[in-house]
Amino acid sequence: MALKRYQPYLAMLFIQILYAGMALFSKASISTGMNPYVFVVYRQAFATIALAPFAIFLESSKTASLSFTLLVKIFFISLIGITLSLNLCYVSISYISATFASASTNTIPVITFILALCFRMESICYKQRHGIAKIMGSVVCVAGALVYAFVNGPPLYPESHKGVHYQTSIGTSKGEWIKGSIIMLLANTMWSLYLILQGPIMKEYPAKLRLTTLQCLFSCIQSAIWAISVKRDIAAWKLGFNFNLLSLAYCGVLVTGLSYWLRAWVIEIKGPVFTAMFTPIALIVTAFFSFIFWKEIPRLGSVCGAILLVMGLYGVLWGKQKEAECKRTSECKGEITSI
């Protein structure tokens, strides 16, 4: 009975370890020469193949109709939220560290909140503490991302790594680091936009697993067209029984497939705010293994930026949770103002 109580916590811990592994595996494959556009194509192919059997058999009883108009909507949402997001993400990994790639995911709830405000899908009780927390949390989180990207500072362990040339990322110059950071934040913005657009689509097509499989399939086709137009070297598409194949299987099957099921299960039990609270764990795990495997030395600016990122994230999450409680008790009645 006690173990059952902690199952959601263990599941979210496992999911964050999977996401940390995704950042590490992807960085390793792309750094050793695999084309990022080709990586996305194969990853989405693995995800589609892994999800398709479950979508067919587990949701066979669902009678959700799929019209041509809805199919077009799913196609374009896949283009914006998955194809663009993943391709930009993996391009940025060529320039930045796996640690920053993992750290930047903490901005996604905040970017989603800001976009929801712009689309008038979110509101703020600006006279209440939780409304102020949401605003301040957003500002702090964005500030943390900027500090992480643009402020280096001294390495934290210079005395134990004498003779090492400290860079912002392994083999990356300052200009490339800034470029990669901007591309990564743009990728997170695309993903946040996808999360917002996903809600209305799920109301039209409630078969969630089939919807996810369709989006992975469309993303695979779109990414293949993109990759072929950019990289026409046949050698870039060759796969062997090597580390790259392991990385692709890991990202496609475990991250897209298994983590989807676990996250959906946890959200059903504990809610979305609970799942978002575990996001910083992936950053800690990634930073640890980046230090072990690549001798990636944390810098003062990066640490300060990461702290601001996490503080901002929890500020927004706290505000969202308190606002939900406020609405349930009708304390905010007449005081909620959309911005």
Side-chain angles (χ1 to χ4, degrees):
M1 191 70 181
L3 180 61
K4 188 175 181 180
R5 177 184 177 186
Y6 291 105
Q7 281 179 349
Y9 296 88
L10 295 174
M12 284 310 305
L13 179 61
F14 182 62
I15 288 172
Q16 293 308 314
I17 292 174
L18 285 180
Y19 273 94
M22 180 185 69
L24 293 167
F25 275 92
S26 302
K27 175 66 178 178
S29 290
I30 293 172
S31 296
T32 53
M34 187 167 189
N35 184 271
Y37 306 117
V38 175
F39 190 96
V40 174
V41 177
Y42 282 128
R43 169 182 169 165
Q44 294 307 92
F46 271 95
T48 304
I49 294 170
L51 289 171
F54 296 100
I56 293 171
F57 293 108
L58 296 182
E59 292 187 337
S60 59
S61 60
K62 294 190 176 181
T63 58
S65 59
L66 188 62
S67 64
F68 177 76
T69 303
L70 181 57
L71 200 63
V72 171
K73 289 180 182 179
I74 295 173
F75 180 87
F76 281 105
I77 287 177
S78 302
L79 175 64
I80 294 171
I82 302 180
T83 303
L84 285 177
S85 176
L86 281 179
N87 278 279
L88 289 172
C89 175
Y90 285 126
V91 168
S92 71
I93 284 178
S94 303
Y95 304 109
I96 63 176
S97 67
T99 306
F100 179 70
S102 182
S104 69
T105 60
N106 291 284
T107 64
I108 291 175
V110 176
I111 294 173
T112 305
F113 167 66
I114 294 172
L115 289 175
L117 279 178
C118 295
F119 289 118
R120 296 187 178 275
M121 298 171 66
E122 185 64 70
S123 59
I124 296 179
C125 299
Y126 64 90
K127 294 182 180 180
Q128 301 290 333
R129 287 185 302 168
H130 51 73
I132 297 173
K134 287 164 70 176
I135 296 172
M136 293 302 298
S138 299
V139 173
V140 171
C141 192
V142 173
L146 294 175
V147 170
Y148 201 114
F150 300 113
V151 179
N152 286 336
L156 296 186
Y157 309 110
E159 70 283 352
S160 59
H161 290 80
K162 293 180 180 179
V164 175
H165 177 62
Y166 296 103
Q167 291 181 310
T168 316
S169 178
I170 303 300
T172 302
S173 67
K174 177 65 176 177
E176 289 178 331
W177 174 266
I178 294 174
K179 179 181 177 181
S181 301
I182 293 173
I183 295 174
M184 178 58 79
L185 292 176
L186 182 59
N188 289 341
T189 302
M190 292 295 101
W191 180 254
S192 297
L193 183 59
Y194 164 78
L195 294 177
I196 291 175
L197 297 175
Q198 188 81 329
I201 287 293
M202 290 181 68
K203 290 180 180 178
E204 293 186 57
Y205 194 71
K208 299 176 184 178
L209 195 51
R210 269 187 275 170
L211 176 61
T212 303
T213 306
L214 269 176
Q215 290 173 335
C216 288
L217 176 61
F218 282 146
S219 176
C220 181
I221 296 170
Q222 293 161 355
S223 298
I225 296 172
W226 185 342
I228 291 171
S229 63
V230 174
K231 190 73 174 179
R232 301 186 180 183
D233 183 11
I234 298 178
W237 293 82
K238 291 182 180 179
L239 277 180
F241 290 96
N242 52 24
F243 181 80
N244 289 340
L245 183 64
L246 176 63
S247 298
L248 290 166
Y250 179 93
C251 293
V253 178
L254 293 182
V255 177
T256 305
L258 180 58
S259 69
Y260 170 82
W261 280 104
L262 286 175
R263 188 181 294 274
W265 175 72
V266 175
I267 288 175
E268 187 177 5
I269 297 173
K270 290 288 190 177
V273 175
F274 177 84
T275 61
M277 288 174 62
F278 288 81
T279 305
I281 294 176
L283 168 60
I284 297 170
V285 175
T286 306
F288 174 76
F289 283 105
S290 293
F291 176 76
I292 296 296
F293 292 129
W294 297 323
K295 305 302 180 184
E296 189 178 293
I297 312 301
R299 290 175 170 272
L300 182 61
S302 299
V303 173
C304 292
I307 292 173
L308 289 174
L309 274 169
V310 175
M311 287 175 58
L313 170 66
Y314 282 129
V316 173
L317 293 177
W318 182 86
K320 290 281 291 179
Q321 188 173 29
K322 291 299 179 182
E323 183 183 56
E325 295 173 2
C326 180
K327 287 180 179 179
R328 283 196 297 268
T329 56
S330 301
E331 291 176 5
C332 286
K333 190 173 182 181
E335 295 183 7
I336 299 179
T337 303
S338 295
I339 293 180

